[in-house]
Amino acid sequence: MNRKKDDAKQHRRPLFDVLKQHEKKEKVSFHVPGHKNGMNWDPSLTSFHSMLSFDQTEVSGLDYLHEPVGVLKESQDLLGELYSSKKSYYLVNGSTVGNLAMIMGSTNKGDQVFVDRSCHQSVIHALELAELHPVFLTPELNELDATPLGISLPRLEEAFKLYPSVKALIVTYPTYDGMVYPLKELIDYARKRKCLVLVDEAHGPHFTLGAPFPASALDLGADVVVQSAHKMLPSLTQTAYLHLGNHVSFSIESQIEHYLHILQSSSPSYPLMLSLEYARYFLAFFNEKDLETTLDYRDRWKKQFENAGLEILQSDDPLKVRVSWAKHSGEVLATQLEEQGIFSEKTEEDTVLLTFPLLKQEAEVSEPFSLQLLQQAESDGVDRGRKRLSMAPHMELDLSYNNQKKRRVKRTRLEEAQGKIAAQNITPYPPGIPLVLKGERLTSEQIRQVEYCLSQSMRVVGLENKRELFIFSEND
Ligand SMILES: Cc1ncc(COP(=O)(O)O)c(C=O)c1O
């Protein structure tokens, strides 16, 4: 590990200190929130109850996230120092709001942008809100299981020849499965063309720790980076960070702040922000011994999975491991694991993704136990259809966001949708990557993919009554 900071200042937890002081000071609450430090809560919910005195509002001594001048400023500055950013922000609505603010704040209406097609839906939503003209770049796919592996440099070079005035490149790094790709090459190439690089690093807030973790997007020179702290660090669900690279202009900085203000609550949750501060503190003092504990815990579980006859696929991110069971679908494997109390992150056709925690050496962890997998009589017949998906290297929407607003929307049945323009994203979960984009003309291949997801009982968002979808009418 080549951790950059071991600064005594990083011991500071200003938000925690002020909330503790406030807890001691406040005898009576005549302010929001309505639970008044838990006064009207069921006392039997003890673990939740003990947190309620930290659920505060902007009373004196506390600070305002949208214009921080006190503890929140200090707390966020410590985050910026740890990540060596120009400036870093706490987000209370996940990478979702981070992606919206990053994209809306870094572009202008009508700009052409390159977007990794396998991006998260929040990126797609940002493109629409910002009224951009996206050119979607198809990522490389893992030969083994067709999971996305990021945009290659040749694909970007080829796309720049066709679209030389693109203003920003928006990528996901690492992939959901914890795979990385040569992002530095893309950044260097884009920079030469005065194109911003905006990175959804939702799954990589821990990369700042250095090797054996892959390089972080900020260290590789990205302009703006968004991270879901809650995914891989010990912070609460919905928490995230946004970081500005050191060369980002003041106008982008102020536009991003403007959108964060517009898009986030005017009553940001203090428990969420406190957990963001804790996650920064946790990272700042994560040392070699902690790393050993972390990898040892992972390896002991890997051994148990191997002993049970599973195949192990280690991702580039040491904390992400996929397991597969010969002749069985990911769904069947996940169900068998759940019966033994093991809940995984997501299932694919024939793999199950596990995310491991960062652990301090003093963490009390239970011993991995051995697994009992009940062989099914036969293969459960996984349909390999998704692996045959072939997509154009780049595509533009068939109907721009602006023109979409002028069209009527109607319903059609899935089997009648070929050649029609989708009026809604169709997104299977997990991993939440849109299979069909709003504004895209549906192909028979895409319809087959949607059918496949339904046949696998995957949750598919964007379909009405499971088999109907919204399309734009062609003639108004
Ligand atoms: C790649 C990616 N980006 C962004 C998000 C949104 O993150 P959040 O849940 O923090 O809003 C996710 C969520 O799964 C994701 O996988």
Side-chain angles (χ1 to χ4, degrees):
M1 249 187 351
N2 56 359
R3 268 213 23 256
K4 293 163 290 183
K5 291 267 178 256
D6 194 9
D7 185 342
K9 242 168 111 186
Q10 290 288 331
H11 279 286
R12 298 262 306 123
R13 292 163 70 188
L15 187 54
F16 176 69
D17 293 343
V18 164
L19 284 167
K20 275 299 238 192
Q21 281 162 21
H22 183 80
E23 192 182 36
K24 281 198 202 128
K25 211 158 116 191
E26 183 168 72
K27 297 204 173 64
V28 189
S29 160
F30 288 125
H31 59 79
V32 300
H35 61 66
K36 312 286 175 209
N37 301 322
M39 193 175 168
N40 44 14
W41 260 66
D42 177 353
S44 67
L45 296 169
T46 37
S47 48
F48 210 98
H49 207 273
S50 58
M51 188 185 97
L52 291 172
S53 62
F54 278 2
D55 188 31
Q56 287 299 333
T57 186
E58 286 86 27
V59 289
S60 30
L62 295 179
D63 200 359
Y64 186 46
L65 182 65
H66 300 299
E67 232 168 80
V69 287
V71 277
L72 283 173
K73 179 176 182 324
E74 194 188 340
S75 191
Q76 291 184 122
D77 285 351
L78 287 166
L79 176 70
E81 281 172 34
L82 183 77
Y83 278 89
S84 305
S85 66
K86 178 178 185 195
K87 203 164 172 185
S88 294
Y89 303 84
Y90 288 166
L91 312 180
V92 292
N93 192 20
S95 286
T96 297
V97 81
N99 283 336
L100 293 173
M102 167 172 78
I103 294 168
M104 295 177 79
S106 307
T107 58
N108 293 314
K109 184 175 166 176
D111 279 354
Q112 205 161 42
V113 294
F114 286 140
V115 188
D116 178 343
R117 195 195 164 104
S118 65
C119 64
H120 185 256
Q121 55 169 327
S122 54
V123 170
I124 310 277
H125 294 158
L127 301 174
E128 180 173 347
L129 286 175
E131 292 192 42
L132 299 175
H133 288 297
V135 177
F136 291 95
L137 304 183
T138 302
E140 302 301 310
L141 298 182
N142 192 337
E143 274 186 17
L144 202 65
D145 56 7
T147 49
L149 276 185
I151 305 297
S152 66
L153 182 60
R155 178 139 301 165
L156 183 67
E157 288 172 339
E158 182 194 321
F160 259 115
K161 281 186 201 142
L162 294 171
Y163 306 97
S165 53
V166 157
K167 296 285 172 18
L169 166 67
I170 305 164
V171 294
T172 309
Y173 170 98
T175 67
Y176 197 148
D177 295 318
M179 301 302 280
V180 293
Y181 52 94
L183 178 63
K184 176 95 176 87
E185 290 179 359
L186 302 187
I187 293 176
D188 292 347
Y189 189 82
R191 180 141 305 136
K192 278 191 216 138
R193 276 148 193 80
K194 303 205 179 328
C195 169
L196 292 171
V197 181
L198 312 178
V199 183
D200 174 357
E201 201 180 36
H203 295 273
H206 53 305
F207 287 4
T208 192
L209 289 169
F213 300 99
S216 80
L218 262 184
D219 290 346
L220 295 177
D223 293 284
V224 188
V225 178
V226 168
Q227 302 169 330
S228 291
H230 70 94
K231 290 191 195 296
M232 304 303 289
L233 306 180
S235 69
L236 296 178
T237 296
Q238 259 182 246
T239 57
Y241 299 137
L242 185 148
H243 307 282
L244 303 179
N246 283 301
H247 41 269
V248 163
S249 69
F250 179 68
S251 75
I252 290 181
E253 176 181 331
S254 53
Q255 279 302 306
I256 288 178
E257 287 181 10
H258 177 61
Y259 283 110
L260 285 176
H261 194 163
I262 291 178
L263 297 167
Q264 296 198 100
S265 170
S266 62
S267 313
S269 153
Y270 278 88
L272 294 189
M273 296 188 285
L274 180 66
S275 77
L276 281 167
E277 180 180 82
Y278 176 71
R280 183 273 306 159
Y281 170 80
F282 178 95
L283 271 183
F285 298 100
F286 194 87
N287 61 28
E288 292 290 342
K289 285 258 179 277
D290 301 329
L291 179 67
E292 263 171 46
T293 308
T294 296
L295 298 183
D296 178 62
Y297 176 74
R298 179 202 65 179
D299 291 344
R300 283 185 292 135
W301 267 112
K302 276 168 80 168
K303 190 100 215 118
Q304 295 295 5
F305 287 114
E306 253 164 17
N307 291 346
L310 300 184
E311 193 190 337
I312 309 282
L313 297 159
Q314 176 60 60
S315 297
D316 296 330
D317 178 353
L319 300 184
K320 295 226 167 156
V321 172
R322 286 184 300 153
V323 287
S324 69
W325 189 18
K327 298 205 179 97
H328 295 87
S329 66
E331 200 66 32
V332 165
L333 175 56
T335 308
Q336 294 236 350
L337 294 176
E338 282 179 18
E339 276 165 16
Q340 294 167 72
I342 297 172
F343 286 76
S344 52
E345 170 64 16
K346 74 166 168 129
T347 55
E348 285 286 346
E349 281 178 332
D350 46 9
T351 57
V352 169
L353 175 69
L354 312 170
T355 66
F356 283 83
L358 289 170
L359 290 171
K360 295 270 179 184
Q361 50 194 305
E362 61 276 10
E364 284 176 20
V365 292
S366 48
E367 269 305 297
F369 47 85
S370 50
L371 311 170
Q372 310 271 308
L373 298 176
L374 305 174
Q375 283 292 342
Q376 306 244 312
E378 290 171 22
S379 156
D380 63 333
V382 180
D383 178 354
R384 308 281 146 174
R386 289 180 91 198
K387 293 184 182 171
R388 293 194 294 272
L389 181 66
S390 66
M391 282 193 270
H394 35 75
M395 60 79 72
E396 291 178 76
L397 292 182
D398 296 290
L399 191 63
S400 72
Y401 293 122
N402 200 21
N403 285 333
Q404 289 177 22
K405 287 189 194 153
K406 300 173 193 156
R407 295 281 181 102
R408 274 189 300 120
V409 168
K410 54 185 192 179
R411 268 173 211 260
T412 193
R413 291 188 59 73
L414 189 54
E415 48 274 29
E416 285 156 18
Q418 189 183 336
K420 311 272 168 49
I421 299 180
Q424 214 169 349
N425 296 334
I426 301 180
T427 313
Y429 276 85
I433 294 170
L435 201 57
V436 178
L437 297 164
K438 186 173 171 225
E440 186 178 11
R441 208 174 280 283
L442 278 125
T443 63
S444 57
E445 178 61 18
Q446 284 168 315
I447 294 172
R448 199 174 69 77
Q449 293 289 303
V450 176
E451 299 269 12
Y452 165 73
C453 294
L454 292 174
S455 74
Q456 297 292 299
S457 308
M458 289 166 77
R459 189 160 69 92
V460 183
V461 172
L463 288 183
E464 302 292 304
N465 308 320
K466 288 220 158 173
R467 300 210 54 90
E468 287 185 334
L469 65 149
F470 288 120
I471 52 162
F472 287 109
S473 67
E474 290 289 335
N475 45 16
D476 55 344

